[in-house]
Amino acid sequence: MFICLGGIHGNEPAGVNAISRFFAFFQYELAARPDLPFRGTVLGLRGNLQALEKGIRFLERDLNRMMLLEVVAQLDRPDLKTEYRELSELLVHIRRELEQARPEQLVLLDFHTTSADGGIFSIPADNPESLALARHFHVPIIQGMADGLEGTSLSFFTPEYQGVPAMAVAFEAGQNEDPLSESRSIAAIIKGLEAAGCLPKDALSNPDEQLLVDYSEGLPVVSELLYVHHIQPGDGFRMRPGYRNFQPVREGEHLADDRRGGIFAQADGLILMPLYQDQGSNGFFLVGNGE
Ligand SMILES: [Zn+2]
């Protein structure tokens, strides 16, 4: 079963729009080409409905940091609110579909966008199958994120979910409001379906695939996470202006400030996801040692 998840962060609607547009296109193709050799089940899911409605990352708690067994254990009650309700509904849907489809394999693509410009990359879950899947999307791959972040969909659904072997990749499609972020997400869905064996290569036209190829020119194929700057509530974190994804920084460079003073790069590397929005628990990431 192939799951596309969009809008797990409510201020990132590009993934949701891409999934809707993909399904419209795919239904048209299936109707027009009865011989299209498709196999499997494709499921499209909207993540944080209440936050999407408001256009904010989350209401109470980051849905993509609370996918933890101890949180899920608290969901079995009727009066759930905010992200607890969202997580419960999401898992109910996925389990129901798994019971019906009884797939041999689960593939999850989790779609995101970033507040800073130029961030197009993939984050595989920790198992080798997820890394192999990520290699199909052309874009830079960031490894080691699962260790740096707790409670994400990547860690939760892999290496198996409900007894089904699983691979998962988060696809960062670009800037939140960039219309091309949608196009790049659609290109990734089609590449993912090919990689998962649901569709033969080139069975569907993929006009935006070249966007991914062009963007990734000159960037490392695989990078390792070196450092995450975690933010606590009340830190008053402010990224210094002008940082872009994959911008090289030097050890000691003054990157940001908070109430304790300056925050400096811990190592030479490339900066990822510098935070230029109010909500978020990570100020920036440093990656390096590219393949
Ligand atoms: Zn996100």
Side-chain angles (χ1 to χ4, degrees):
M1 192 161 79
F2 191 91
I3 300 180
C4 300
L5 175 60
I8 198 168
H9 292 137
N11 63 331
E12 302 174 13
V16 174
N17 298 339
I19 293 165
S20 301
R21 280 173 56 191
F22 168 75
F23 272 109
F25 161 70
F26 192 41
Q27 273 171 343
Y28 175 83
E29 289 287 312
L30 283 174
R33 297 164 57 190
D35 59 336
L36 189 71
F38 170 75
R39 58 190 202 103
T41 305
V42 192
L43 183 64
L45 292 170
R46 295 184 185 88
N48 195 334
L49 295 176
Q50 297 166 82
L52 279 164
E53 180 105 344
K54 293 191 160 67
I56 56 177
R57 186 177 170 94
F58 57 85
L59 304 173
E60 184 184 348
R61 188 169 169 182
D62 190 330
L63 186 55
N64 202 30
R65 299 287 185 277
M66 58 189 286
M67 296 199 181
L68 299 162
L69 292 177
E70 63 261 32
V71 177
V72 173
Q74 301 165 23
L75 298 179
D76 193 16
R77 36 186 280 201
D79 58 341
L80 294 170
K81 294 200 169 64
T82 65
E83 276 75 24
Y84 295 90
R85 192 171 92 211
E86 297 295 336
L87 181 56
S88 171
E89 289 176 354
L90 204 55
L91 296 181
V92 166
H93 274 295
I94 292 172
R95 282 186 203 134
R96 192 189 301 147
E97 295 293 333
L98 281 176
E99 271 165 31
Q100 273 183 13
R102 299 200 173 275
E104 289 161 21
Q105 191 182 60
L106 180 63
V107 179
L108 173 72
L109 282 191
D110 181 1
F111 287 93
H112 292 262
T113 49
T114 56
S115 57
D117 235 359
I120 301 159
F121 52 93
S122 68
I123 304 171
D126 250 354
N127 55 339
E129 294 82 1
S130 298
L131 175 61
L133 174 66
R135 288 184 185 274
H136 287 83
F137 300 122
H138 305 298
V139 300
I141 297 168
I142 313 299
Q143 278 200 290
M145 282 287 200
D147 296 336
L149 299 177
E150 265 212 324
T152 65
S153 64
L154 296 178
S155 311
F156 186 75
F157 290 103
T158 62
E160 57 141 51
Y161 183 66
Q162 305 279 301
V164 183
M167 58 187 94
V169 172
F171 187 84
E172 296 279 354
Q175 210 275 334
N176 292 343
E177 279 95 38
D178 182 351
L180 286 181
S181 298
E182 272 180 46
S183 310
R184 286 183 286 253
S185 300
I186 295 171
I189 295 173
I190 297 172
K191 289 309 287 178
L193 287 169
E194 291 176 2
C198 297
L199 279 172
K201 196 170 166 3
D202 302 326
L204 283 185
S205 69
N206 195 354
D208 294 322
E209 182 175 354
Q210 195 59 34
L211 286 175
L212 305 180
V213 175
D214 292 346
Y215 169 78
S216 309
E217 217 180 281
L219 295 176
V221 177
V222 181
S223 304
E224 288 286 334
L225 178 67
L226 300 176
Y227 178 79
V228 188
H229 181 81
H230 294 284
I231 303 174
Q232 304 301 330
D235 273 358
F237 177 87
R238 289 182 317 284
M239 195 73 211
R240 301 189 86 201
Y243 282 102
R244 290 172 51 85
N245 284 293
F246 292 106
Q247 183 171 328
V249 298
R250 306 299 308 226
E251 185 176 349
E253 187 170 329
H254 187 181
L255 301 178
D257 297 278
D258 67 12
R259 65 184 171 81
R260 284 175 291 266
I263 298 164
F264 303 90
Q266 289 71 13
D268 292 351
L270 307 174
I271 198 159
L272 264 193
M273 295 189 271
L275 187 73
Y276 290 112
Q277 62 192 17
D278 295 337
Q279 283 184 308
S281 48
N282 309 107
F284 58 87
F285 298 74
L286 292 179
V287 303
N289 304 323
E291 180 180 298

